[in-house]
Amino acid sequence: MPLSAGGSFDPGGPVAAEINQLWWLMLWLGVATFVLFLVLLARGLTRDDDGSGPDRSRTFLYAGGLVLPAVVITVVFAATLVSMRALSAEADENAVVVEITGHQWWWEIEYPELGISTANEFHIPIGRDVELRLRSDDVVHSLWLPELAGKLDLLPERVNVLVLRADQPGNYGGTCAEFCGLQHTKMRITAIAETEERFSAWVDRQRSIPDPPSTSEAEEGARLFAITGCAECHTVRGTDAVGVDGPDLTHLMTRMTIGAGTLTNDLESLGDWIRRPQDHKEGISMESPDLTDAEIDSLLAYLATLE
Ligand code: CUA
């Protein structure tokens, strides 16, 4: 699976780094307080005589019960405010805007300023702010790309904005972080951070319309795609397939996975997915089309042209 496993301890950009720093500060303050407590406890338990007297006890009481927690909580509170300010900063003017819509159980991805639609994987240029506009088409989902940012909910009735930036190229794996039904765990997303040149090459490719099928098998597959129900749910730009219930398949072959991270995207898995979608991801809207093996091979020959 092309999903990275570095997690939030391996920040790939400034937003995640800010959260990571705050986390470590809280951890070390917690550790220091706990160690101090253990030392005092050990001392109290091992003392022979109690010659401290009420004055010293009261000093300890105030120091440990009021001053120490007040100092620690104030420091954490102040650090959290600083981090929150840094995180809520607005995106730069030249930010890439990406609209992400949560569905049960996949991610619809659009670049309104670039005219691109895709699903479950999105490309971003390194070193540039990315403004994610999040909403849901059904229930509450939550986007979490641990190496790039904190979690943020996708809600049906409003748009939440998450700004992030990747400084290093790489595939940053993410997931839905809010229970959203049967296939919540199979709702993966990947941010692919790359150089400005590679990003614009990707954008050009996604904007293009794939060449029409050139073999008779692929042509037959295109015909089957149009008449067996695929086209009712999926869009392939440049054709009559304009369904919007499932992922846009115009450039399906440029994506790494099928079913939001369920399977690796190759023709064998794709064939298996089309034959038995409910076995791979029970509860999704997709049903297997009523096709013979030969017809599914034709369908695959067509899908292979969607580059
Ligand atoms: Cu979508 Cu959990």
Side-chain angles (χ1 to χ4, degrees):
M1 281 287 129
L3 299 169
S4 50
S8 50
F9 293 125
D10 189 13
V15 172
E18 184 75 41
I19 294 169
N20 192 36
Q21 269 174 20
L22 181 63
W23 191 90
W24 281 108
L25 174 74
M26 289 167 88
L27 179 76
W28 287 122
L29 278 174
V31 167
T33 307
F34 186 60
V35 168
L36 183 65
F37 165 79
L38 286 181
V39 168
L40 292 175
L41 183 69
R43 264 189 62 180
L45 289 173
T46 55
R47 270 171 83 118
D48 293 335
D49 65 320
D50 185 10
S52 54
D55 278 355
R56 247 187 115 193
S57 298
R58 195 170 291 123
T59 308
F60 258 118
L61 204 62
Y62 285 127
L66 287 175
V67 178
L68 181 66
V71 167
V72 171
I73 289 169
T74 306
V75 169
V76 170
F77 181 64
T80 304
L81 286 183
V82 170
S83 291
M84 281 172 71
R85 262 190 85 156
L87 298 183
S88 65
E90 294 203 350
D92 287 350
E93 270 182 18
N94 69 343
V96 181
V97 176
V98 185
E99 289 178 356
I100 301 185
T101 305
H103 296 268
Q104 285 173 312
W105 296 274
W106 60 283
W107 310 87
E108 181 182 350
I109 293 164
E110 285 172 297
Y111 294 68
E113 289 159 359
L114 302 172
I116 294 173
S117 287
T118 181
N120 306 323
E121 288 167 27
F122 64 106
H123 289 234
I124 55 175
I126 53 171
R128 191 135 64 104
D129 277 359
V130 179
E131 181 180 319
L132 301 178
R133 297 181 186 161
L134 310 176
R135 55 174 288 276
S136 169
D137 191 43
D138 37 52
V139 300
V140 176
H141 304 272
S142 174
L143 176 70
W144 191 29
L145 293 149
E147 290 153 294
L148 294 179
K151 296 172 192 170
L152 192 61
D153 280 358
L154 293 85
L155 305 172
E157 69 276 16
R158 58 163 291 173
V159 174
N160 279 340
V161 174
L162 181 67
V163 178
L164 58 79
R165 199 176 83 203
D167 287 332
Q168 301 295 327
N171 295 349
Y172 297 96
T175 188
C176 179
E178 178 78 43
F179 181 72
C180 56
L182 189 60
Q183 296 297 351
H184 158 69
T185 54
K186 288 184 180 171
M187 191 165 168
R188 300 299 192 112
I189 187 166
T190 304
I192 295 140
E194 55 199 5
T195 60
E196 203 69 57
E197 294 75 34
R198 292 187 63 142
F199 175 69
S200 36
W202 178 79
V203 169
D204 288 345
R205 186 165 176 186
Q206 298 297 315
R207 282 171 132 168
S208 70
I209 288 175
D211 293 336
S214 56
T215 66
S216 56
E217 190 183 28
E219 276 172 11
E220 170 65 4
R223 193 185 68 82
L224 292 167
F225 188 91
I227 61 166
T228 51
C230 310
E232 284 167 30
C233 293
H234 296 286
T235 290
V236 176
R237 275 182 296 120
T239 75
D240 293 336
V242 291
V244 291
D245 293 337
D248 184 310
L249 300 183
T250 309
H251 293 282
L252 171 64
M253 286 302 141
T254 65
R255 304 207 283 260
M256 296 181 291
T257 74
I258 305 164
T262 304
L263 296 174
T264 302
N265 188 13
D266 56 48
L267 287 182
E268 194 186 335
S269 301
L270 199 53
D272 210 41
W273 172 262
I274 293 167
R275 282 186 187 90
R276 310 180 291 120
Q278 295 295 324
D279 288 357
H280 290 292
K281 202 167 173 180
E282 188 187 352
I284 59 172
S285 317
M286 182 162 162
E287 297 289 344
S288 181
D290 191 11
L291 297 174
T292 65
D293 279 352
E295 287 172 327
I296 286 185
D297 285 345
S298 301
L299 195 56
L300 289 172
Y302 169 58
L303 294 175
T305 68
L306 302 179
E307 301 183 298

